[in-house]
Every structure is written in structure tokens, then in C-alpha cells.
Amino acid sequence: MTAVRALLIVNPVATTAAAAGLASITSPLAAVTSLDVAVTTHPGHAGELARSAGRAGIHVVVVLGGDGTVNEAVNGLLADDPESGPERRPALGILPAGGMNVAARSLGLPRTPHAPSGAW
């Protein structure tokens, strides 16, 4: 069985990203995946990272950030082939760390990031 490859995209300036404690997020993810962590450095970077993840065979892209970071990642995941199904692109995970977290709340997720639990 192939290990699940995951990319955690972190927006370091998201409202609650620093308070989330990156180690408390990465340790559980690394325990169940082959985890890479990328920290955004400029606007649009999350989209670039997500697009590259799809091309590199990453299975799951997890976003630690707010609505803007989630939006960039979604657009990056859809950039190459927006009409293809989910079997052709990484799954998306959201760890809300923004001020409003509208996307996460719309999906019924908590307003703040929590360490992941459970199996992939």
C-alpha cells in the first residue's frame, strides 16, 4: 500500500495560525501521512503550492489559514483540469485559522484549528 502523501500549506499571517501551534498540527498529520509543510510567502502562493501538489502526486492538501488561503488553494487544485473528477486531484482539508472562516463554517467545521484525529 502506498503511503498517503500530504502537503500542509500554512499562511503564517492568518489571524489564529500562530496560536494553533504548528507542532500540534504537524505531529498528528506526520504520524499518518508522508507530510510536507510549506509556508506561504506572498499573495497567490497557496494557489501555486496547491497546483504543484496536484502535479507532484500529493494525495491531500491541508490548508492552515483563512478564507483567502482556502480560496487560493482551491483555485490552484482546479487550475490544470477543472472538469476532471476528484480522482484526478488531491483532496482538500481545511484547518481554519482566519478571522471569519466563512468557508469552514459553511462546511460545519469549527472556527479554530484543532489537531487532526482519526484515520485517513
Side-chain angles (χ1 to χ4, degrees):
M1 181 176 174
T2 303
V4 173
R5 295 181 61 205
L7 172 65
L8 174 62
I9 298 175
V10 179
N11 178 351
V13 297
T15 304
T16 60
L22 194 52
S24 70
I25 300 295
T26 57
S27 293
L29 282 172
V32 296
T33 68
S34 172
L35 181 66
D36 291 322
V37 178
V39 178
T40 61
T41 60
H42 57 273
H45 196 198
E48 296 165 12
L49 293 166
R51 186 175 189 178
S52 294
R55 293 175 176 173
I58 298 291
H59 300 107
V60 181
V61 172
V62 181
V63 177
L64 176 63
D67 292 323
T69 310
V70 171
N71 180 54
E72 286 183 17
V74 167
N75 283 300
L77 291 172
L78 295 172
D80 286 339
D81 191 3
E83 301 300 320
S84 70
E87 69 282 350
R88 302 234 1 211
R89 73 176 113 259
L92 175 69
I94 301 172
L95 295 171
M100 296 299 295
N101 300 312
V102 174
R105 289 186 313 171
S106 296
L107 295 169
L109 300 174
R111 285 184 59 107
T112 57
H114 296 281
S117 61
W120 292 90

